[in-house]
Amino acid sequence: MKKAVFFTIDSLLASGIVIIAIFLVANFYSAEQQKVNVNYASQDLVRVFSTMSVGGVSNSYTQSLIASGDITDMNNTILEQIGDFWANDKIDLARNFTKNLTEDIFPSQYGFSVLVNGEEIYSRNLPLKKALVSSRKIISGIAKAKPTEGFTARVLLNGIKSKKTNAYAYFGGYEGDGNLTKKLVLPIDVISFNSSYLEVDAGGNFNLYINNVFSGSYAKGSGGGGSMLADKWNLSNAYLVNFRAGENIINVNFTSGTPYIAGGFLRVAYVTSSYNDTQKQGYEKYLFPGIDGIINLYSSVYSPGALNNMLVFLNYSSNYTTYLRLGNITIYEENPNGAVKSVTIANSTLKTLLDYNSFNQKTVPLRLGITNATTLGGNADAMLVSDVSGSMTDCSTTTSWSWNGWQFSNTKGCVYWFGWWLWESYNGNPIGYSESSRNTWNDGSQNLCGCRWSSQCGIDVPKLSKYKDSAKQFVDILLNRTGNRIGLVDFTSSNTDTVYVNTCSSSSSTTTVFPDSIARTNNLINDKSLMTNKIDTTEGWWATCTCCGINKAIEMINSQSNPQRKKYVVLMSDGAANVQCSQQPNGTAIADAVQSSWDACNQGISVYAISFGADADTSTMQRMNCSGGKYYNAVDTSQLQQAYNQIAGEINKLSFSGQIVNVSGALARSVVFPNSYIEFNYTAPEAQFNKLPLGFETDRFGNNISSGTLTVYANTSVLDAKVTSYSGSKWTDNLVVNGNTLYRLSDYGNDYQILGDPFAVNIPIGNINQGANSITISTGTNSSASTGGSNDNRVIYTLLLNGFADYSSVVAKADGCSWAVSFEDGTSSTIKVPSSYNGADTCSYSSKTYDANDALDNVAYSLFSNLDIDKDGKLDVNIDENSLNVNTLTISKIPSLWGPAIIEIRVWE
């Protein structure tokens, strides 16, 4: 019984649970099925309205809207059309359009509403009982109160009316030694020549010929030139007619001085209608200068990209072994024995000699020369102008001695000749003696004798002896460099003072010994032994005519030197000037002395001044150094020696002329013909779209560090850039751009004498930034001796202007305008954009007057701005409407137009 009862109860409980579960499941299924149906309704409505175009709707109301022009785009989807009505604030049309399409097709038991960006367009206002489902769709390109379609435009330059730019013929770091021929290549469609300019560091005066027509005479130094400085001349406009389109032949024929040019360029400013000028990407050609004299060329080559092929053609004549060196590799060497030689070095040969990778965007030094030439290391003419007054025979240090019970200290007296015995006295007291005979005091034309100052120095030596030692060291240092010369002027006075009694015979002589107060001279020579012996025989005499010594030195330098050489006076005196000069009639000997030194400096002679000893007139001497010379106060003999050594070293440094050569003999003449060249084929960087090249120059750096700045304007890129470097007789050896060393001559060796010398060092364009770029370029005589740079250095570069303005932002219209535009050449024009524009709107580029809601106005202004480098309101390129290719696009419902807007459909039951 108990078991039966329990079984019955369990069965009843199980049956109850099953019934409850079935009831719950049935109710859940019913509720879920309702929700699913509502969701389907919402999604289906969004899907249909977003895919069906209004042109495919046969609804009569829709057709009436099309007929009335309220619907203009048949390709709009239904949702897009609702959005259009909303964006254009046609809410009633949007409501009626939505109602008409939905009321007949949407089940009546459902409520629904359509919203755009939360704003209700239409609603079937049934009460919400069970479920509400929302489906959304994004429509791009529409926004409230914004047009649903717009316009964008772009404009391209398909040509130009004209532009002003420059062409250059560059001289290498040193081109000589002889008359020179250069080639200048201009576009074939040159419209006119505006100006021409010549800037060179030449070794002498020359005549210029352009295409064999005389084009002026130019004197070295007349255009502001100097040491590592160029003469600068604006050529007369009368010579512009001598230029022509295409190839121009430029001849520099020297009339005096040393025939070379140590860097520089000829620049021609011209107007052309050519878009790209003469540039040919992937190809570069170096043109050797024509040289008629002695082949002596220091220059460089540059490949803007990875070098693929190279060919050398050399046409020359020489009686000496002639060589061509690229970098530190000699690629050709031969003696043609006076014959005209035409040599072609093929790419196959060059590849075995050279590392082509080392040419990739590298300035590579080039050297063409002859092996029999002597390179001159120095270019100085120095005149030793020395005080040989009686005080120079004084003791060089304080010394005392005794004689016959008398004590003396650096005592000087008058020397009298009495037969064979010479007695010295000071205030009538004897101090010593020596034996003497009849002497020759001047140049040998007369035998004269008399009283002159002398000293008894005991164990010491006279100052004159210390001067001799120091002067001989000066000679040794200066003449150790080939090319330097030294002359000599010893000055005293004319011996007109009655103290100097002539007692050589029974009858006294009254002859003036040194009429011009110059004891002796020696012409400028480079013979070290002869000059040393001359100094060894120096003697002391009478008073001190300092101005006489300097005037004589000026006379000798001017007659024996030339404008190409560096000229120096090294003045030494142990006392004060006490004789005047008629050439400097200032009333006092001191004033005349100072003026004479400045007269020398005004004639291009640098004056160094040394005061020697405790009695020297230091205040006067330190006023006499000028034109780069220095003052030295040598109180004792060691300081005197140091002064002469330092001056010799400085003169060697300042006058170094390592690139001038000396060849003597009837067979010295050698020739390079100007049809010689080196051509390169290289992998060019990827061409940039529709770029317009224009040439520019920075200002001169104006310092001898030498450093400057290259500023690259916005919306431009650099095609090429080169830094000029006037190295004089040194070598350009270092270029640093933005802290990066891009050229270092020592990479090719420490001995610069065998290497080329670039005047223009190229900057790889990848190292140039937008905005300001710092530039430093310097020179040296070897890898460890830097010699600064030139004030005249600068950057010459080509900018690429954007010759297009890409598609503008989308705006409401694209009507166009008549533009007032001004140009850098001083002209102005009215340009219609597009060329077919016939409306009344006027725009101005310079005043930025245009309709920013017009796509054509926006793109025209953008292009004009691209062509205005410095943003001064004037275009650097002259164009008209025929130069422009204008494209306009109509844009609708894209994300870049407006919006996006969100259309929401809510469905409920």
Side-chain angles (χ1 to χ4, degrees):
M1 286 294 295
K2 288 182 180 179
K3 290 182 179 179
V5 171
F6 288 141
F7 177 78
T8 302
I9 292 173
D10 287 345
S11 297
L12 290 174
L13 287 173
S15 298
I17 290 171
V18 169
I19 293 170
I20 291 171
I22 292 172
F23 177 78
L24 290 174
V25 168
N27 275 280
F28 175 79
Y29 176 78
S30 175
E32 184 62 23
Q33 183 66 34
Q34 268 189 334
K35 187 172 183 180
V36 169
N37 289 340
V38 171
N39 190 46
Y40 284 160
S42 173
Q43 291 180 357
D44 287 345
L45 191 59
V46 168
R47 184 165 49 251
V48 171
F49 278 19
S50 62
T51 56
M52 179 176 287
S53 65
V54 293
V57 176
S58 59
N59 177 279
S60 59
Y61 180 72
T62 302
Q63 293 301 315
S64 69
L65 294 178
I66 295 172
S68 65
D70 290 308
I71 295 177
T72 57
D73 189 350
M74 304 301 104
N75 293 318
N76 272 347
T77 65
I78 293 173
L79 283 185
E80 287 173 341
Q81 190 59 58
I82 294 171
D84 278 358
F85 286 146
W86 167 81
N88 290 298
D89 207 24
K90 299 178 180 180
I91 303 302
D92 288 340
L93 280 178
R95 182 180 298 110
N96 294 334
F97 180 64
T98 304
K99 177 181 179 181
N100 195 274
L101 292 178
T102 57
E103 284 295 340
D104 294 337
I105 63 173
F106 212 71
S108 59
Q109 70 269 27
Y110 294 138
F112 70 92
S113 63
V114 178
L115 303 93
V116 180
N117 277 4
E119 182 179 349
E120 188 176 86
I121 302 300
Y122 173 74
S123 177
R124 179 191 284 176
N125 290 320
L126 295 179
L128 175 61
K129 295 181 178 179
K130 295 182 179 178
L132 184 147
V133 176
S134 173
S135 297
R136 293 177 175 86
K137 182 74 173 180
I138 294 176
I139 301 179
S140 60
I142 65 171
K144 191 72 170 179
K146 298 289 186 181
T148 54
E149 71 176 13
F151 301 90
T152 185
R154 74 170 180 177
V155 60
L156 309 174
L157 282 179
N158 55 27
I160 59 172
K161 187 177 178 181
S162 66
K163 69 175 181 180
K164 178 183 175 183
T165 191
N166 302 320
Y168 295 84
Y170 291 99
F171 295 87
Y174 185 100
E175 294 189 0
D177 289 349
N179 293 333
L180 303 174
T181 302
K182 304 290 290 185
K183 290 183 179 180
L184 173 67
V185 180
L186 297 167
I188 59 173
D189 57 354
V190 171
I191 298 172
S192 63
F193 295 101
N194 286 38
S195 63
S196 54
Y197 171 82
L198 181 62
E199 178 177 307
V200 293
D201 181 6
N205 304 339
F206 60 89
N207 293 332
L208 181 70
Y209 292 84
I210 301 170
N211 294 316
N212 296 317
V213 181
F214 176 78
S215 302
S217 297
Y218 303 89
K220 178 178 175 60
S222 65
S227 177
M228 295 174 65
L229 295 174
D231 282 305
K232 310 159 191 72
W233 299 284
N234 290 304
L235 273 60
S236 169
N237 287 340
Y239 301 137
L240 289 177
V241 296
N242 300 338
F243 292 103
R244 62 192 179 204
E247 185 178 86
N248 293 261
I249 304 299
I250 311 299
N251 294 104
V252 177
N253 293 345
F254 287 90
T255 57
S256 66
T258 307
Y260 70 83
I261 289 181
F265 56 86
L266 172 66
R267 179 184 70 214
V268 178
Y270 63 92
V271 176
T272 178
S273 59
S274 174
Y275 197 89
N276 287 313
D277 301 337
T278 58
Q279 296 168 358
K280 184 179 178 182
Q281 288 292 306
Y283 176 80
E284 194 76 22
K285 192 172 188 178
Y286 169 79
L287 302 174
F288 284 92
I291 302 173
D292 188 354
I294 301 171
I295 299 173
N296 190 27
L297 173 65
Y298 297 79
S299 192
S300 63
V301 294
Y302 180 75
S303 175
L307 185 61
N308 301 319
N309 296 284
M310 185 192 310
L311 183 143
V312 176
F313 176 73
L314 189 60
N315 191 16
Y316 74 102
S317 172
S318 175
N319 286 288
Y320 301 101
T321 299
T322 304
Y323 62 90
L324 175 62
R325 186 176 294 122
L326 290 177
N328 54 8
I329 305 297
T330 300
I331 64 171
Y332 173 76
E333 188 170 19
E334 185 178 358
N335 188 342
N337 295 312
V340 174
K341 189 79 174 179
S342 295
V343 180
T344 299
I345 309 175
N347 181 65
S348 56
T349 301
L350 293 169
K351 269 196 168 181
T352 65
L353 298 172
L354 301 169
D355 177 11
Y356 277 18
N357 291 327
S358 67
F359 283 74
N360 184 7
Q361 298 187 79
K362 295 285 188 182
T363 297
V364 178
L366 177 152
R367 175 79 173 100
L368 178 65
I370 56 179
T371 58
N372 301 67
T374 301
T375 302
L376 301 181
N379 191 36
D381 285 337
M383 195 67 72
L384 286 170
V385 181
S386 305
D387 178 354
V388 292
S389 60
S391 59
M392 283 296 291
T393 64
D394 288 354
C395 303
S396 56
T397 59
T398 302
T399 306
S400 34
W401 71 95
S402 63
W403 178 81
N404 200 22
W406 294 85
Q407 287 294 125
F408 301 96
S409 175
N410 285 351
T411 310
K412 61 186 177 181
C414 184
V415 180
Y416 294 92
W417 276 263
F418 296 100
W420 293 98
W421 292 94
L422 172 113
W423 287 86
E424 296 179 338
S425 68
Y426 184 76
N427 292 332
N429 297 313
I431 61 170
Y433 67 93
S434 63
E435 187 175 1
S436 178
S437 62
R438 202 173 195 194
N439 293 318
T440 299
W441 288 358
N442 61 356
D443 60 3
S445 62
Q446 301 176 74
N447 290 330
L448 302 172
C449 57
C451 175
R452 61 176 176 176
W453 296 109
S454 183
S455 297
Q456 172 61 266
C457 296
I459 62 173
D460 198 9
V461 295
K463 287 189 287 185
L464 199 60
S465 296
K466 295 300 184 181
Y467 156 74
K468 293 176 185 179
D469 293 340
S470 300
K472 287 188 292 184
Q473 285 197 7
F474 176 87
V475 170
D476 186 64
I477 294 170
L478 205 66
L479 294 188
N480 196 43
R481 177 162 289 173
T482 304
N484 289 338
R485 300 187 300 175
I486 297 177
L488 181 145
V489 174
D490 289 345
F491 64 90
T492 177
S493 65
S494 61
N495 187 26
T496 57
D497 196 314
T498 56
V499 170
Y500 308 115
V501 179
N502 293 282
T503 58
C504 292
S505 63
S506 57
S507 59
S508 297
S509 171
T510 59
T511 304
T512 301
V513 182
F514 305 126
D516 56 0
S517 298
I518 303 301
R520 65 176 182 167
T521 64
N522 200 95
N523 289 340
L524 290 163
I525 59 173
N526 56 14
D527 189 323
K528 185 188 298 186
S529 176
L530 184 60
M531 183 56 66
T532 298
N533 291 336
K534 192 79 172 182
I535 292 171
D536 269 336
T537 59
T538 305
E539 294 182 282
W541 298 95
W542 300 298
T544 308
C545 185
T546 307
C547 54
C548 297
I550 295 177
N551 289 337
K552 188 64 176 179
I554 294 172
E555 174 192 322
M556 294 176 64
I557 288 174
N558 287 341
S559 64
Q560 300 172 30
S561 188
N562 63 62
Q564 286 69 51
R565 296 183 64 79
K566 309 294 185 182
K567 294 171 277 291
Y568 305 91
V569 160
V570 181
L571 171 68
M572 185 280 299
S573 178
D574 73 327
N578 51 28
V579 179
Q580 301 178 40
C581 293
S582 59
Q583 290 172 251
Q584 292 90 15
N586 294 294
T588 68
I590 288 177
D592 288 355
V594 173
Q595 184 180 329
S596 67
S597 68
W598 284 93
D599 287 346
C601 292
N602 289 336
Q603 297 179 58
I605 303 170
S606 299
V607 177
Y608 289 83
I610 307 172
S611 58
F612 176 33
D615 296 329
D617 184 1
T618 57
S619 62
T620 298
M621 292 291 284
Q622 63 188 345
R623 293 162 55 197
M624 297 179 69
N625 62 290
C626 52
S627 191
K630 295 178 180 177
Y631 165 70
Y632 294 83
N633 182 17
V635 176
D636 54 38
T637 56
S638 65
Q639 291 178 354
L640 180 70
Q641 190 174 75
Q642 185 179 21
Y644 274 108
N645 289 352
Q646 288 182 3
I647 293 171
E650 183 165 302
I651 290 176
N652 269 341
K653 180 178 179 180
L654 294 174
S655 63
F656 180 80
S657 187
Q659 296 169 354
I660 298 175
V661 297
N662 181 34
V663 178
S664 60
L667 302 179
R669 182 171 178 263
S670 55
V671 177
V672 177
F673 297 100
N675 61 340
S676 304
Y677 63 86
I678 302 176
E679 64 180 9
F680 307 89
N681 290 102
Y682 62 90
T683 302
E686 185 176 348
Q688 300 184 60
F689 173 70
N690 216 39
K691 299 287 187 174
L692 178 71
L694 276 183
F696 296 91
E697 298 175 4
T698 66
D699 293 334
R700 294 185 188 88
F701 291 171
N703 59 80
N704 57 10
I705 296 174
S706 164
S707 63
T709 301
L710 166 63
T711 300
V712 179
Y713 295 100
N715 298 321
T716 66
S717 55
V718 178
L719 176 64
D720 64 71
K722 48 184 70 74
V723 186
T724 66
S725 175
Y726 288 99
S727 58
S729 57
K730 289 81 173 176
W731 281 257
T732 297
D733 71 344
N734 204 45
L735 171 66
V736 178
V737 178
N738 296 324
N740 301 311
T741 300
L742 303 182
Y743 174 75
R744 185 166 46 211
L745 186 59
S746 60
D747 289 344
Y748 301 94
N750 295 325
D751 182 7
Y752 289 1
Q753 292 275 356
I754 66 172
L755 301 176
D757 178 26
F759 167 68
V761 181
N762 291 74
I763 307 175
I765 59 175
N767 295 92
I768 303 174
N769 305 323
Q770 286 279 334
N773 296 266
S774 63
I775 312 290
T776 301
I777 193 163
S778 58
T779 66
T781 55
N782 56 61
S783 60
S784 60
S786 178
T787 51
S790 169
N791 287 16
D792 285 341
N793 294 343
R794 70 175 84 194
V795 184
I796 300 176
Y797 59 106
T798 303
L799 287 182
L800 294 175
L801 283 62
N802 290 327
F804 66 94
D806 217 344
Y807 283 110
S808 63
S809 58
V810 179
V811 291
K813 59 181 180 178
D815 296 336
C817 192
S818 292
W819 283 85
V821 180
S822 299
F823 305 99
E824 289 288 356
D825 62 7
T827 63
S828 58
S829 179
T830 298
I831 300 177
K832 294 181 178 180
V833 183
S835 58
S836 59
Y837 180 74
N838 57 8
D841 289 344
T842 58
C843 301
S844 170
Y845 171 68
S846 61
S847 63
K848 301 181 182 180
T849 303
Y850 64 98
D851 187 352
N853 206 32
D854 188 307
L856 287 171
D857 289 3
N858 287 335
V859 78
Y861 180 82
S862 181
L863 175 66
F864 297 155
S865 181
N866 288 343
L867 302 180
D868 177 13
I869 291 286
D870 54 5
K871 302 298 182 283
D872 64 349
K874 297 177 182 179
L875 275 60
D876 292 274
V877 178
N878 207 314
I879 60 174
D880 57 23
E881 54 253 33
N882 296 321
S883 308
L884 306 180
N885 183 359
V886 181
N887 303 109
T888 305
L889 291 179
T890 303
I891 305 295
S892 61
K893 300 175 185 66
I894 60 172
S896 61
L897 185 56
W898 315 115
I902 299 176
I903 293 187
E904 181 183 8
I905 295 180
R906 298 173 181 173
V907 179
W908 66 89
E909 186 176 3

